[in-house]
């Protein structure tokens, strides 16, 4: 073979190798390149994931907002608790004064004047959520009553029940602010 032929064969081999290398590169590139449907599926998956994160974040914020509003409402309801607790002894004093005036046969105008003031104060506190406990004759319940003493029950049906109320108990918006001090029959 002459040099030209060798050179041609060498060139042909080189071209064949280059062509094979280019085809291998194209095949590899095709393998790595995703089809459009695979890309769409991947994007849909990412969209669903982001949408889920968004919904969770939104619901967390909504729950926070609701909880904050509920706490504000509860704070407003019980903000006056200390003031109302401080006025309970005044209510007790009014009740004792009315009872004493009636026992002493005071004139009717004095009794009506004290009742008027007592009713105004009591009705105002009632509007703010104050409720007196009705304890006399009810079953003794440690959640609502403080037993001052126990006495023999005047009748069998009063055993384990409140026989007398020494100091009224009160609820504020359904929550106990003062337990009733009672005498229990045994």
């Amino acid at each position: 073979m002459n040099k030209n032929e060798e050179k041609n064969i060498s060139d042909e081999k080189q071209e064949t190798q280059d062509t094979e290398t280019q085809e291998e590169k194209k095949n590899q590139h095709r393998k790595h390149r995703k089809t459009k449907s695979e890309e769409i599926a991947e994007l849909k998956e990412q969209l669903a994931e982001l949408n889920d994160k968004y919904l969770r974040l939104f619901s967390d914020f909504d729950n926070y907002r609701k909880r904050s509003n509920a706490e504000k409402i509860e704070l407003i309801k019980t903000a006056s608790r200390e003031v109302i607790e401080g006025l309970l002894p005044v209510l007790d004093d009014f009740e004792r004064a009315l009872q004493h005036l009636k026992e002493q046969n005071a004139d009717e105008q004095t009794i009506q004047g004290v009742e008027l003031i007592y009713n105004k104060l009591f009705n105002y506190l009632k509007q703010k959520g104050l409720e007196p406990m009705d304890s006399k004759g009810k079953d003794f319940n440690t959640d609502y009553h403080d037993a001052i003493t126990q006495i023999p029950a005047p009748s069998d049906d009063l055993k384990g029940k409140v026989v007398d109320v020494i100091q009224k108990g009160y609820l504020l918006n359904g929550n106990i602010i003062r337990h009733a001090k009672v005498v229990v029959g045994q």
Side-chain angles (χ1 to χ4, degrees), residues 114-142:
V114 174
E115 281 180 341
L116 178 68
I117 297 168
Y118 169 77
N119 287 333
K120 275 186 177 180
L121 177 62
F122 182 74
N123 288 332
Y124 177 76
L125 294 175
K126 196 172 184 181
Q127 288 174 353
K128 299 299 178 190
L130 185 71
E131 305 168 47
M133 287 184 202
D134 183 28
S135 300
K136 194 167 187 174
K138 306 279 183 182
D139 288 333
F140 176 72
N141 184 343
T142 56

Side-chain angles (χ1 to χ4, degrees), residues 15-172:
E15 282 179 19
T16 307
Q17 284 179 347
D18 287 344
T19 306
E20 287 175 0
T21 305
Q22 286 176 355
E23 284 181 28
E24 285 177 19
K25 285 181 182 178
K26 283 182 184 178
N27 286 337
Q28 287 178 355
H29 184 68
R30 284 184 191 137
K31 288 178 185 176
H32 291 301
R33 192 172 53 166
K34 296 176 184 170
T35 65
K36 286 187 179 185
S37 62
E38 288 174 338
E39 285 181 24
I40 290 172
E42 187 176 300
L43 289 173
K44 282 183 179 179
E45 185 177 313
Q46 287 176 352
L47 176 65
E49 186 177 311
L50 290 174
N51 194 26
D52 182 57
K53 285 181 182 178
Y54 167 75
L55 289 175
R56 288 178 190 273
L57 184 62
F58 181 78
S59 66
D60 285 346
F61 176 73
D62 193 44
N63 289 339
Y64 166 76
R65 185 179 52 79
K66 287 177 183 176
R67 188 174 54 249
S68 294
N69 287 341
E71 288 172 357
K72 284 178 187 176
I73 289 170
E74 184 65 29
L75 181 64
I76 289 168
K77 282 184 178 178
T78 59
S80 58
R81 179 184 177 124
E82 287 183 28
V83 173
I84 291 175
E85 284 178 347
L87 289 173
L88 292 180
V90 176
L91 278 178
D92 294 337
D93 291 343
F94 266 115
E95 289 172 357
R96 282 191 286 274
L98 282 170
Q99 184 180 2
H100 179 72
L101 287 172
K102 288 176 183 177
E103 289 172 359
Q104 297 300 318
N105 294 324
D107 65 292
E108 193 61 34
Q109 291 175 341
T110 305
I111 293 173
Q112 286 178 351
V114 174
E115 281 180 341
L116 178 68
I117 297 168
Y118 169 77
N119 287 333
K120 275 186 177 180
L121 177 62
F122 182 74
N123 288 332
Y124 177 76
L125 294 175
K126 196 172 184 181
Q127 288 174 353
K128 299 299 178 190
L130 185 71
E131 305 168 47
M133 287 184 202
D134 183 28
S135 300
K136 194 167 187 174
K138 306 279 183 182
D139 288 333
F140 176 72
N141 184 343
T142 56
D143 292 334
Y144 294 98
H145 307 119
D146 285 339
I148 300 299
T149 187
Q150 292 183 342
I151 61 169
S155 62
D156 286 340
D157 61 325
L158 289 176
K159 285 186 178 181
K161 295 191 180 207
V162 175
V163 176
D164 192 21
V165 177
I166 305 299
Q167 186 180 44
K168 268 189 184 177
Y170 289 95
L171 302 170
L172 181 62

